[in-house]
Amino acid sequence: MHERELRAFVAIVEAGRMDHAATSLGYSQPAISYQIKCLEQQLGTRLFFRHPDGAQLTPEGAMVLPSARAVLALLDGIKELTGRADRSTAPVEHLRVAG
């Protein structure tokens, strides 16, 4: 399971359509469909009902959504902390493990 697959999943939920979600993420529609196919294979369940006017969560997809959002929030938090650490001017040499 990859971050990009989870981001595609949440983007489709928020946009309601795969093509709109693909545009918002800078992907092609076939690329986002592939991300969802991979995620569904890994989870062993369908996440969306697909129909001509959009995509609707399956009951299983609705169960996965809160966890997907939580994982993405954690990843974003880690990235934010890492970004702050990169800008820090404090030296790290003074941090030693006692031993």
Side-chain angles (χ1 to χ4, degrees):
M1 190 173 319
H2 297 102
E3 177 183 358
R4 67 183 171 270
E5 295 164 353
L6 294 175
R7 290 207 185 274
F9 172 63
V10 172
I12 294 167
V13 171
E14 292 173 353
R17 295 178 53 98
M18 287 195 179
D19 56 343
H20 293 175
T23 300
S24 73
L25 293 173
Y27 296 157
S28 66
Q29 196 278 330
I32 206 165
S33 292
Y34 178 75
Q35 297 299 325
I36 296 304
K37 178 182 175 185
C38 290
L39 186 57
E40 289 176 332
Q41 287 178 342
Q42 290 172 29
L43 296 174
T45 191
R46 289 191 63 186
L47 299 172
F48 292 101
F49 296 116
R50 293 148 175 93
H51 41 84
D53 59 338
Q56 181 182 5
L57 279 174
T58 62
E60 295 81 8
M63 288 189 294
V64 170
L65 181 59
S67 296
R69 284 186 166 145
V71 168
L72 292 173
L74 288 170
L75 289 171
D76 290 343
I78 291 168
K79 289 178 182 180
E80 184 179 323
L81 288 173
T82 303
R84 285 187 190 149
D86 290 344
R87 293 188 301 269
S88 175
T89 58
V92 182
E93 297 89 41
H94 71 281
L95 299 174
R96 294 190 184 169
V97 177

